[in-house]
């Protein structure tokens, strides 16, 4: 078995120790919000009526509320959130806002080859509309359409990049070793593909907070700290219930993502896979000059266990990924967010990538649950005589596609047949994950196999090939 560049060029332990000595366990993005974007909202009490009730105030719920107000300005919309607006994945992600609705081109081609032209066009349109919404609604979520760079950090990955570039997709540029190192100065880069137009970078917590602000200005009511515990469809509409109140509405949207679904049959459709992140202090002008990165792309390397990193508006570097950890029992729990060994691994890989930044410190460390489904992208549907719609399972790529999901759910509730609702990707449900202990066994074996493939020139073992053939898998 071979080694990876991160093992061959490991920095000294003292460099890692120093970089993590004063790191806070806290989500940088949320700490970075101005107070006016974090208003304390009331909890739901008493009885309320609405046309549409949305459960969950992450991107999926908030985009759905905004899109509903666009479609029906007079509609009364209520959003009920168990904790705070954007506290979960929506407030703590990498901020890569991609056009892809299928968790990447390859995954889409493997599953819905006949639909990819439409899916690519709809995805691009969705991204354009997200970008335009900043000006349209006077929002500031620091959108930068910089595209995404995929560097090869092992020889066998260079071949993958050549094949990718040869497909001739619009806006995809191949950079050889000199070109990529001239762009971003990492000694680990052997070549790269730069997808110039299909990704923008956002400030994740700002995106959620700004959406909440805008929908409230349009009359949407948001209740926080109000966990919905039941759905009642015995009457003509749908009533959602918390311990202290109810909302009776004509229709409901469930935007609860990786959390236990209020629809029983969806409970086995997603598993939380924990992903870990570091944020550095702001780089000085000299430090910035030492890494280049003038085009400020999002970067995701080509390994199966990949790292993603990006630069913030105030020139910090967010560095995350690699370890994707599944905890037995598929629960979302704060204690799963604490994993010092993973932050050490990430710090080590950071200084392998940018050895010239030795001495830089990490100010924040955090983790979040990736909303994994077996098809690596969201599934959609309705329940209870089409009074309830749901979408979940974005598998680590929901910053852009949650808005698309909002449109799909509203279409489904309306019962309209259009380009979105007739997609096989929308109509067909993926396979569920098996219950425990099979889920943990399967997921951890898959992870082990992916790690082995990274150590063995990318070669996929029998298990991975079988999962590929079944259209099943595990990713983050
Ligand atoms: C560390 C990390 C990095 C990521 N990086 C990227 C990235 O760079 N690019 C990308 O595209 N995607 C990324 N993702 C994935 C992306 O963040 C998610 O796909 C997206 O935020 C999902 O949005 P959501 O609204 O569906 O879910 P969430 O943000 O999880 O929101 C769901 C909300 O529903 C609420 N809720 C749940 N149950 C109830 C209930 N019973 N009653 C009331 N409220 C309830 C929750 O409290 C929560 O606020 C990342 C995820 C993580 C964790």
């Amino acid at each position: 078995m071979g080694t990876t560049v991160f093992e061959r060029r490991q920095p000294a332990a003292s460099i890692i120790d120093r970089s993590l000595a004063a790191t806070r366990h806290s989500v940088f993005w949320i700490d970075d919000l101005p107070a006016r974007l974090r208003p304390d909202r009331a909890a739901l009490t008493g009885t309320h009526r609405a046309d549409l009730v949305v459960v969950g105030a992450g991107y999926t719920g908030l985009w759905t509320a905004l899109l509903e107000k666009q479609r029906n300005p007079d509609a009364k919309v209520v959003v009920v959130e168990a904790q705070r607006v954007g506290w979960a994945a929506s407030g703590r992600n990498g901020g890569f806002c991609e056009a892809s609705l299928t968790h990447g081109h390859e995954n889409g081609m493997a599953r819905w080859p006949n639909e990819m032209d439409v899916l690519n066009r709809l995805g691009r349109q969705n991204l354009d509309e997200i970008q335009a919404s900043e000006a349209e609604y006077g929002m500031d979520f620091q959108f930068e359409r910089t595209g995404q760079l995929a560097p090869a950090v092992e020889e066998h990955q260079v071949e993958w990049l050549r094949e990718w570039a040869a497909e001739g997709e619009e806006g995809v540029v191949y950079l050889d070793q000199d070109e990529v190192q001239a762009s971003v100065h990492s000694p680990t880069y052997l070549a790269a593909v730069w997808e110039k137009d299909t990704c923008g970078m956002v400030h994740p917590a700002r995106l959620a907070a700004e959406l909440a602000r805008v929908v409230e200005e349009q009359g949407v009511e948001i209740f926080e700290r109000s966990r919905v515990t039941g759905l009642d469809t015995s009457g003509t509409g749908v009533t959602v219930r918390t311990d202290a109140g109810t909302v009776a509405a004509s229709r409901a949207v469930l935007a609860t993502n990786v959390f236990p679904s209020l629809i029983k049959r969806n409970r086995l459709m997603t598993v939380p896979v924990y992903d870990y992140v570091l944020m550095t202090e702001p780089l000085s002008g000299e430090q910035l000059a030492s890494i280049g990165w003038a085009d400020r792309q999002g970067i995701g390397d080509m390994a199966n266990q990949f790292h993603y990193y990006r630069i913030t508006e105030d020139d910090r570097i967010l560095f995350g990924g690699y370890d994707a950890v599944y905890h037995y029992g598929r629960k979302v729990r704060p204690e799963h967010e604490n994993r010092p060994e993973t932050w050490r691994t990430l710090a080590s890989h950071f200084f392998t990538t940018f050895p010239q930044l030795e001495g830089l410190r990490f100010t924040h460390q955090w983790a979040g649950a990736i909303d994994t489904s077996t098809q690596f992208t969201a599934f959609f549907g309705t329940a209870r005589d089409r009074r309830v719609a749901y979408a979940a399972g974005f598998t680590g790529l929901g910053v852009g596609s949650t808005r698309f999901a909002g449109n799909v759910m509203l279409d489904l509730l309306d019962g309209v047949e259009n380009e979105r609702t007739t997609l096989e990707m929308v109509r067909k449900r993926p396979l569920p994950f098996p219950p425990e202990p099979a889920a943990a066994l399967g997921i951890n074996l898959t992870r082990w196999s992916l790690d082995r493939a990274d150590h063995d020139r990318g070669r996929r073992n029998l298990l991975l090939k079988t999962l590929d053939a079944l259209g099943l898998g595990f990713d983050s």
Side-chain angles (χ1 to χ4, degrees), residues 101-112:
L101 303 173
T102 57
H103 205 278
H105 188 70
E106 213 179 315
N107 188 46
M109 282 307 284
R111 294 171 197 280
W112 308 283

Side-chain angles (χ1 to χ4, degrees), residues 56 58-60 81-82 87 89-90 93-96 228 255 257 371 396-399:
Y59 300 144
T60 305
E81 163 56 45
W87 76 276
S90 297
N93 61 72
F96 288 56
V228 172
N257 204 22
D371 38 5
L397 208 68
V399 175

Side-chain angles (χ1 to χ4, degrees), residues 55-62 80-98 201 226-229 242 255-260 262 273 275-277 308 366-371 391-402:
V55 185
Y59 300 144
T60 305
L62 294 167
V80 188
E81 163 56 45
Q83 297 202 30
R84 306 290 307 275
V85 162
W87 76 276
S90 297
R92 59 180 70 199
N93 61 72
F96 288 56
C97 186
E98 291 196 26
M201 306 310 295
S226 305
R227 177 175 306 282
V228 172
T229 51
T242 70
T256 57
N257 204 22
V258 76
F259 297 90
L262 292 158
V273 174
D275 191 43
Y276 298 81
V277 184
Y308 56 86
W366 70 91
I370 298 277
D371 38 5
F394 299 90
T395 319
L397 208 68
V399 175
S401 58
T402 42

Side-chain angles (χ1 to χ4, degrees), residues 42-226:
L44 181 78
T45 52
T47 54
H48 297 253
R49 298 200 68 79
D51 297 304
L52 176 71
V53 60
V54 176
V55 185
Y59 300 144
T60 305
L62 294 167
W63 276 120
T64 306
L66 183 60
L67 293 166
E68 172 64 5
K69 290 300 279 185
Q70 242 172 38
R71 294 178 182 207
N72 300 304
D74 296 332
K76 178 153 176 48
V77 180
V78 171
V79 181
V80 188
E81 163 56 45
Q83 297 202 30
R84 306 290 307 275
V85 162
W87 76 276
S90 297
R92 59 180 70 199
N93 61 72
F96 288 56
C97 186
E98 291 196 26
S100 177
L101 303 173
T102 57
H103 205 278
H105 188 70
E106 213 179 315
N107 188 46
M109 282 307 284
R111 294 171 197 280
W112 308 283
N114 301 329
E115 292 185 343
M116 278 308 279
D117 285 346
V118 181
L119 284 164
N120 283 336
R121 178 168 46 75
L122 293 176
R124 186 71 73 100
Q125 181 188 340
N126 182 58
L127 180 61
D128 291 343
E129 287 170 358
I130 292 172
Q131 180 170 13
S133 67
E134 258 195 334
E136 189 180 349
Y137 295 104
M139 294 192 274
D140 176 9
F141 46 84
Q142 299 175 359
F143 189 95
E144 293 183 74
R145 186 101 171 218
T146 55
Q148 194 172 178
L149 191 75
V153 293
E154 306 290 346
E155 273 306 330
H156 66 267
Q157 297 166 3
V158 177
E159 196 43 44
W160 297 347
L161 290 178
R162 286 214 185 90
E163 285 169 17
W164 179 3
E167 284 172 19
E169 276 170 72
E170 200 189 317
V172 170
V173 181
Y174 179 83
L175 305 177
D176 66 20
Q177 184 164 15
D178 288 343
E179 288 167 331
V180 66
Q181 293 202 356
S183 169
V184 182
H185 313 329
S186 170
T188 61
Y189 294 174
L190 304 175
V193 154
W194 181 11
E195 294 175 279
K196 286 192 140 173
D197 194 43
T198 47
C199 180
M201 306 310 295
V202 302
H203 184 307
R206 262 185 174 269
L207 173 55
E210 285 283 58
L211 285 170
R213 176 181 67 78
V214 167
V215 297
E216 284 181 319
E217 280 168 15
Q218 298 193 4
V220 172
E221 264 186 293
I222 303 178
F223 296 100
E224 292 187 322
R225 300 184 176 93
S226 305

Side-chain angles (χ1 to χ4, degrees), residues 248-319:
S250 316
R251 315 184 299 174
V253 157
L254 305 183
T256 57
N257 204 22
V258 76
F259 297 90
S261 179
L262 292 158
I263 303 281
K264 229 183 177 165
R265 68 169 188 267
N266 284 348
R267 292 248 165 127
L268 290 178
M269 299 298 282
T270 56
V271 292
V273 174
Y274 276 80
D275 191 43
Y276 298 81
V277 184
L278 289 172
M279 183 69 93
T280 71
E281 61 191 333
L283 272 64
S284 66
E286 203 179 317
Q287 286 167 326
L288 258 185
S290 77
I291 54 166
W293 208 347
D295 293 312
R296 298 171 62 82
Q297 311 96 324
I299 301 181
D301 66 49
M302 291 293 292
N304 287 310
Q305 286 195 279
F306 64 96
H307 308 84
Y308 56 86
Y309 38 113
R310 50 90 43 107
I311 202 153
T312 64
E313 194 176 64
D314 61 348
D315 296 329
R316 299 163 183 268
I317 298 174
L318 173 147
F319 197 82

